Amino acid sequence: MIYFPYFRGRQFDLQALKAIAQQHILPPNLIPIIEPVRDIKALPQTVAAFVEHDQPLVIVTNPTVSDYALTQQKLHDWSPWQDNPNLILGHVLGPTTTPEALTPQKGHRTLLIARQYDELVAAQAAGWLDLPTYLLVPPEARIRQLVTRPTVSLFDHAWFPDREQTYANLTDGFFSDDWQRVAATHDQGFSDYTIGGGHYSEHGYPARAVTLHLTYFAGDQLRIHRFVSDDRDDYKHPKEKFFQAVAKLAAWLPDQPAATQTPAAHQLAAYHDQHHFPGLGVVKRLSLEHHLQLMAAFLRQNYPMD
């Protein structure tokens, strides 16, 4: 049972991953995937942190959601670590994919991301799908019928309200129970885009409300709670809106089980008592750290591998 949380390499994603690597809390069956989207210093720093702390990490070598792959000369290159056995080279299946790239070298692992059914059909006919160590595919019935080997299903559990709604319309909801499907199908593991969602936007978008997202376990399912600012009339005053949202988190957290009270969650709640606004980037980083700390503890307890 392996969990592959999928991250686009934005600044706060990489900061969260680097912090988690330095905490050295990830079990061997929690392996983050980074699809680089920007040529920034945090990318090689994050890769180095995972390698130095002897923790596995997937790097997508041919990212497809930004112009990062088109930049010939990288200012912040992660490739000096590509021969380290902790680094798993990931590939998005496409016209330039070769069987050599998918075949693991001695002591190394590879991962293939196949999102399109037609490309999967062609790769299956060529006998390529059995080459990579891990095969990441969408959770579609026709793909499950096509592919005979164990796979990793990539889900997008994040919910984004449309223009007529806000997160205040659904402050608490179901997030995932993917590990139960893996146990039933005997696949390699499960993957998701965590709380950030699969949609990638180069510049983001403004929001009328400040919302803090925290995942937590309730019985055998992972749920998500959203702490939303009361002021949602315009795009102004993010600091004041943050204090409205974090006050709700600080009131909610002490009543939760110990597993939910992660160091990252406590750090977020502490901003209420300190009356300190760290910036929304830090808030996003801590929300991601919390999710990884929560899932790491869950996997160690329920699916130990070490």
Side-chain angles (χ1 to χ4, degrees), residues 73-145:
Q73 187 65 37
K74 302 293 193 297
L75 296 177
H76 306 290
D77 192 7
W78 60 266
S79 63
W81 293 273
Q82 65 181 351
D83 293 328
N84 189 284
N86 283 306
L87 203 60
I88 302 170
L89 299 184
H91 307 272
V92 177
L93 182 61
T96 60
T97 303
T98 65
E100 291 76 19
L102 305 181
T103 304
Q105 303 302 311
K106 184 177 181 180
H108 291 74
R109 292 174 281 177
T110 59
L111 180 143
L112 176 62
I113 303 161
R115 296 190 176 98
Q116 304 300 323
Y117 177 76
D118 292 343
E119 292 175 341
L120 268 167
V121 171
Q124 178 81 308
W128 289 6
L129 296 187
D130 290 329
L131 297 178
T133 314
Y134 309 108
L135 176 60
L136 205 70
V137 296
E140 298 178 12
R142 61 176 181 169
I143 290 176
R144 185 165 295 281
Q145 294 171 355

Side-chain angles (χ1 to χ4, degrees), residues 238-285:
K239 178 179 178 179
E240 289 74 10
K241 292 175 180 178
F242 167 74
F243 289 135
Q244 294 172 6
V246 79
K248 298 177 182 179
L249 185 153
W252 177 86
L253 188 62
D255 295 330
Q256 303 309 305
T260 307
Q261 301 191 39
T262 65
H266 276 293
Q267 188 171 346
L268 273 172
Y271 292 130
H272 169 66
D273 294 331
Q274 298 165 0
H275 202 68
H276 172 61
F277 177 49
L280 295 181
V282 173
V283 171
K284 292 176 181 178
R285 170 177 65 81

Side-chain angles (χ1 to χ4, degrees), residues 1 3 5 20 23-31 55 179 190 215-217 219 222 257-264 288-306:
M1 180 74 68
Y3 174 41
I20 288 293
Q23 294 165 23
H24 208 272
I25 62 168
L26 297 184
N29 53 341
L30 198 164
I31 307 176
Q55 297 179 123
W179 52 91
F190 61 101
T215 49
Y216 70 99
F217 278 96
L222 184 66
T260 307
Q261 301 191 39
T262 65
L288 289 172
E289 280 189 47
H290 163 80
H291 177 72
L292 291 171
Q293 290 168 350
L294 183 77
M295 292 302 296
F298 171 77
L299 289 170
R300 283 195 183 278
Q301 179 178 350
N302 296 279
Y303 302 98
M305 292 183 63
D306 56 354

Side-chain angles (χ1 to χ4, degrees), residues 45-279:
Q45 289 177 341
T46 302
V47 173
F50 273 81
V51 169
E52 291 168 4
H53 290 84
D54 197 31
Q55 297 179 123
L57 175 72
V58 178
I59 291 287
V60 177
T61 60
N62 60 336
T64 60
V65 295
S66 74
D67 59 3
Y68 175 85
L70 303 177
T71 306
Q72 296 297 319
Q73 187 65 37
K74 302 293 193 297
L75 296 177
H76 306 290
D77 192 7
W78 60 266
S79 63
W81 293 273
Q82 65 181 351
D83 293 328
N84 189 284
N86 283 306
L87 203 60
I88 302 170
L89 299 184
H91 307 272
V92 177
L93 182 61
T96 60
T97 303
T98 65
E100 291 76 19
L102 305 181
T103 304
Q105 303 302 311
K106 184 177 181 180
H108 291 74
R109 292 174 281 177
T110 59
L111 180 143
L112 176 62
I113 303 161
R115 296 190 176 98
Q116 304 300 323
Y117 177 76
D118 292 343
E119 292 175 341
L120 268 167
V121 171
Q124 178 81 308
W128 289 6
L129 296 187
D130 290 329
L131 297 178
T133 314
Y134 309 108
L135 176 60
L136 205 70
V137 296
E140 298 178 12
R142 61 176 181 169
I143 290 176
R144 185 165 295 281
Q145 294 171 355
L146 171 71
V147 180
T148 57
R149 62 161 288 176
T151 61
V152 177
S153 290
L154 174 59
F155 294 86
D156 187 355
H157 296 300
W159 172 71
F160 293 92
D162 59 33
R163 295 184 61 180
E164 303 303 318
Q165 294 180 311
T166 73
Y167 285 116
N169 297 115
L170 185 62
T171 57
D172 194 277
F174 172 81
F175 192 78
S176 172
D177 60 359
D178 295 338
W179 52 91
Q180 297 184 34
R181 304 178 193 181
V182 175
T185 58
H186 305 289
D187 276 343
Q188 293 174 302
F190 61 101
S191 178
D192 60 38
Y193 293 101
T194 74
I195 61 176
H199 174 73
Y200 175 74
S201 173
E202 188 69 29
H203 303 291
Y205 54 91
R208 295 178 181 272
V210 167
T211 305
L212 312 183
H213 305 259
L214 280 191
T215 49
Y216 70 99
F217 278 96
D220 57 357
Q221 67 175 222
L222 184 66
R223 299 183 63 82
I224 187 166
H225 199 90
R226 305 175 181 97
F227 307 90
V228 189
S229 62
D230 297 318
D231 184 357
R232 302 187 291 272
D233 295 331
D234 54 39
Y235 300 103
K236 302 176 182 178
H237 311 299
K239 178 179 178 179
E240 289 74 10
K241 292 175 180 178
F242 167 74
F243 289 135
Q244 294 172 6
V246 79
K248 298 177 182 179
L249 185 153
W252 177 86
L253 188 62
D255 295 330
Q256 303 309 305
T260 307
Q261 301 191 39
T262 65
H266 276 293
Q267 188 171 346
L268 273 172
Y271 292 130
H272 169 66
D273 294 331
Q274 298 165 0
H275 202 68
H276 172 61
F277 177 49

